[in-house]
Amino acid sequence: MTTLLVIAKAPVPGRVKTRLTPPFTPREAASLAAAALADTLRAVAAAPAARRVLVLDGAPGPWLPPGFDVVPQCAGGLDERLADAFARCAGPALLIGMDTPQVTPELLGVDFAGCDAYFGPAEDGGFWALGLAEPDPALLRGVPMSTPVTGAVQRERLAAAGLRVRELPRLRDVDTAADAHAVAALAPHGRFAARLARCTAGTGR
């Protein structure tokens, strides 16, 4: 069975979701990040998995449910940190971030029978999920991160390695206020949508 990895940053004001500021304050942006992380971890907790691992930059908080191993992120760029997360896995693994609180347990219930990799493209050109039947950190090292071509380069890496890739649905990351409202509308009953409603109540943001 698959190991589910979540790579995340502790929701500390001024360190997370800085592109939400403005219109939101750093504290509000951090609260939105905490809600997105809580929704993500809840989906992972409900999905079938051999192991659930939070690869964390920072300290755990009350948003962390039981059943997760917590390991620190390594130093270096995002490509190195993603590669290191996969290096910790001996068998099939699926990695996601904390920016898609609309994710569901069903999306995470991957089956590697008949394929070698899963790829979940993001609307901003990146990717929200990457799964490898045989984790190979070299597939991620050197991929330019946080660019409009990140997803295309990563997808080409998988193809160039001769892997049989199964596509996951395209999802929208929460980076900007417009993203936040769009994603909340997709998952109106989650903690993220509730937190966004409280942050925007009476402000018009």
Side-chain angles (χ1 to χ4, degrees):
M1 193 176 286
T2 303
T3 294
L4 293 179
L5 301 162
V6 180
I7 189 159
K9 184 180 290 186
V12 176
R15 294 196 67 238
V16 293
K17 293 295 163 214
T18 55
R19 289 175 61 188
L20 293 178
T21 307
F24 300 102
T25 67
R27 186 171 296 278
E28 288 172 333
S31 73
L32 288 167
L37 182 53
D39 282 345
T40 300
L41 295 176
R42 182 166 54 182
V44 171
R51 184 182 178 213
R52 298 170 183 85
V53 181
L54 176 62
V55 187
L56 184 64
D57 175 2
W63 35 262
L64 179 65
F68 283 79
D69 296 330
V70 180
V71 299
Q73 290 184 26
C74 73
L78 182 55
D79 62 318
E80 288 289 345
R81 287 178 277 142
L82 296 179
D84 182 70
F86 276 108
R88 298 171 183 267
C89 301
L94 179 74
L95 180 145
I96 67 171
M98 60 183 286
D99 297 335
T100 51
Q102 72 273 41
V103 72
T104 64
E106 292 73 24
L107 284 175
L108 303 177
V110 295
D111 181 358
F112 284 94
C115 76
D116 305 304
Y118 276 86
F119 184 75
E123 288 190 6
D124 63 1
F127 59 92
W128 67 270
L130 180 65
L132 298 172
E134 297 182 9
D136 180 0
L139 290 169
L140 292 107
R141 292 192 177 108
V143 173
M145 295 290 163
S146 303
T147 78
V149 299
T150 295
V153 174
Q154 185 63 72
R155 181 68 174 78
E156 178 55 33
R157 279 283 188 94
L158 303 178
L163 303 185
R164 298 166 297 170
V165 182
R166 192 168 291 162
E167 298 282 339
L168 292 168
R170 184 180 301 271
L171 296 186
R172 184 168 182 169
D173 286 337
V174 174
D175 290 319
T176 66
D179 295 331
H181 287 284
V183 168
L186 295 172
H189 304 298
R191 296 182 187 183
F192 181 78
R195 173 56 62 182
L196 181 65
R198 286 195 287 273
C199 288
T200 57
T203 67
R205 290 180 293 192

